[in-house]
Amino acid sequence: MIDIKINEAPVSRISEVDFSNLAFGKEFSDHMFIADYDGIEWKNFRIQPYGPIPLSPALSCMHYGQAIFEGMKAYRGIDNSIQIFRPYDNLKRMNESAERMCMQPIPEEVYVEGLKAVCRMDEKWIPANEGSALYLRPFLIATDDFLGIHPSRNYMFMIYGCAVGAYYNETLKIKIETEFARAVKGGVGEAKTAGNYASALYATSIAQTEGFHQVLWTDAFEHKYLEELGSSNFFILSGNTLITPAANGTVLKGITRDSVIQLARKLGYKVEERLISIDEVIALNNEGKLDEAFATGTAATVSPICELSYQGVSIHLKHKENSVAGMLKNKLENIKRCKEEDFFGWNEKVMMTQTA
Ligand SMILES: *Cc1c(COP(=O)(O)O)cnc(C)c1O
């Protein structure tokens, strides 16, 4: 057990929040967790009111980008239990990102107890309504104040919470990106590191002015093979087979991606993780065998795609009443809310509560 010092917020902001109409990413909960690494050990575990923190202008993360983050959700079950979805898998990925970016890994107890402390402090911020959750954002930044470039010795690890509703309210219109690239083999595409998102903004904003929600990245060399979307992974369904790009260096290994793969296999679908070329998708569509396409991510959950545009020509996917994407989304949601058995042991219990 780590010893967490608690400084409680004098007033809660929860009464200002309209939980029946939650936007994504604005409603930060009352508290945050912080830990420091001083080059020797993790220490100063604390909960304090959510708010600004003093930082040196020379802070290395702000200049050279040693910054990584994670995202997962805490849910309120129908029995009023509070649980976090797959936090240990999340920690594993965070520490893989840390290794790639030459950063200090986070010990398991600091990570998991920090998450649970935020959930306990801000339990009332965990919504009960369908499609809503408390998004948890752990992040690690390099905090040396030093002008030269080297791996930082000092780090700060923080976790804050944000009450969220649906990330996308519509089916997605996607532009297959063939000019810009997100990741290359040998690069940092597999790490959830801040710079990847800054470098994606330009192509994404062009696509958005063209009326698309997101880009679907392709390989950096030939722009021929599909990779993933801005912050979610990509699947297609053809008959009884789900196909998703293999995660071998340039694709972020989404935990939702993995959950969908495991769940679909259990339900009798065939799942292939392999190269998918644009030509293959077009050919499937021409043969009438492209049944569905969808995106997966913690924020996006399972989001159906209605349009894939390649060099100005669009493939339109019809909305289906009983889509496999919709079924997988519901099953996952039901597991997280304890409406269906958690076969895979994905839910990490935090506490039981009295209130809904
Ligand atoms: C976070 C993220 C995903 C989705 O990962 P989940 O663990 O499912 O939330 C996919 N792609 C990118 C680039 C991401 O940053």
Side-chain angles (χ1 to χ4, degrees):
M1 285 291 279
I2 57 167
D3 185 20
I4 303 177
K5 215 176 97 201
I6 292 179
N7 170 11
E8 204 174 332
V11 280
S12 173
R13 288 176 281 102
I14 199 164
S15 61
E16 299 162 20
V17 180
D18 177 4
F19 279 91
S20 61
N21 192 19
L22 280 172
F24 193 94
K26 288 187 187 157
E27 308 293 1
F28 302 112
S29 66
D30 289 325
H31 297 91
M32 59 186 183
F33 171 83
I34 307 185
D36 299 315
Y37 186 79
D38 62 1
I40 297 160
E41 58 170 358
W42 283 100
K43 58 184 194 185
N44 304 336
F45 308 114
R46 58 205 189 272
I47 285 276
Q48 63 185 62
Y50 175 87
I53 46 171
L55 297 173
S56 156
L59 212 69
S60 55
C61 68
M62 296 198 284
H63 301 268
Y64 310 124
Q66 269 190 303
I68 58 174
F69 67 95
E70 271 305 330
M72 78 203 92
K73 283 175 173 171
Y75 294 85
R76 185 179 295 276
I78 46 166
D79 57 355
N80 265 319
S81 59
I82 301 296
Q83 50 250 332
I84 306 172
F85 191 66
R86 304 189 69 175
Y88 294 95
D89 298 294
N90 223 272
L91 167 66
K92 181 169 171 280
R93 184 172 68 192
M94 181 135 200
N95 282 341
E96 286 166 6
S97 297
E99 184 179 1
R100 180 65 181 82
M101 303 308 290
C102 290
M103 299 172 79
Q104 184 63 30
I106 319 286
E108 181 177 296
E109 60 175 1
V110 175
Y111 198 81
V112 177
E113 289 179 35
L115 288 167
K116 290 183 176 178
V118 172
C119 290
R120 285 198 196 96
M121 289 301 292
D122 290 344
E123 172 258 307
K124 293 201 162 48
W125 288 80
I126 305 176
N129 20 349
E130 199 75 35
S132 300
L134 185 71
Y135 184 92
L136 296 165
R137 169 53 62 87
F139 65 109
L140 177 69
I141 56 172
T143 52
D144 278 9
D145 38 3
F146 177 72
L147 196 54
I149 301 177
H150 69 158
S152 185
R153 276 171 57 78
N154 296 281
Y155 292 90
M156 192 182 248
F157 173 60
M158 285 184 265
I159 305 168
Y160 62 80
C162 186
V164 298
Y167 191 71
Y168 294 119
N169 288 310
E170 307 163 295
T171 51
L172 303 179
K173 296 182 180 177
I174 300 297
K175 176 184 175 181
I176 299 176
E177 179 58 57
T178 52
E179 186 180 355
F180 302 103
R182 175 185 175 276
V184 289
K185 281 226 161 63
V188 296
E190 216 172 44
K192 223 169 163 78
T193 185
N196 282 343
Y197 303 85
S199 70
L201 292 174
Y202 189 69
T204 308
S205 62
I206 293 172
Q208 286 172 349
T209 59
E210 293 167 350
F212 299 100
H213 292 96
Q214 263 297 343
V215 296
L216 173 52
W217 297 104
T218 53
D219 71 281
F221 299 108
E222 300 177 88
H223 295 296
K224 194 174 152 191
Y225 296 99
L226 302 178
E227 296 201 326
E228 66 172 312
L229 291 99
S231 55
S232 43
N233 295 108
F234 178 73
F235 283 82
I236 58 174
L237 176 76
S238 180
N240 203 31
T241 305
L242 281 171
I243 313 169
T244 189
N248 47 19
T250 54
V251 170
L252 193 112
K253 288 185 202 148
I255 289 166
T256 319
R257 174 184 182 276
D258 181 69
S259 306
V260 161
I261 291 172
Q262 290 194 50
L263 194 57
R265 284 195 176 132
K266 186 176 162 63
L267 296 170
Y269 291 88
K270 223 176 115 197
V271 184
E272 296 174 359
E273 296 178 66
R274 60 170 173 82
L275 283 177
I276 313 176
S277 68
I278 299 167
D279 290 345
E280 179 180 355
V281 173
I282 293 171
L284 277 175
N285 185 56
N286 289 343
E287 293 161 25
K289 291 183 187 160
L290 182 64
D291 295 308
E292 293 180 32
F294 57 89
T296 66
T298 296
T301 69
V302 179
S303 295
I305 292 169
C306 63
E307 181 179 347
L308 284 169
S309 170
Y310 176 58
Q311 293 179 341
V313 180
S314 285
I315 293 176
H316 293 277
L317 290 144
K318 280 200 210 70
H319 173 74
K320 295 204 192 89
E321 271 314 313
N322 297 308
S323 70
V324 171
M327 179 276 293
L328 289 167
K329 180 187 169 120
N330 288 339
K331 288 244 173 224
L332 273 176
E333 194 72 14
N334 287 347
I335 290 172
K336 293 164 178 176
R337 296 210 179 269
C338 313
K339 291 185 193 170
E340 274 186 51
E341 194 192 332
D342 179 15
F343 320 100
F344 303 98
W346 285 336
N347 291 326
E348 173 68 11
K349 279 262 182 289
V350 178
M351 64 195 293
M352 284 302 296
T353 69
Q354 303 301 320
T355 50

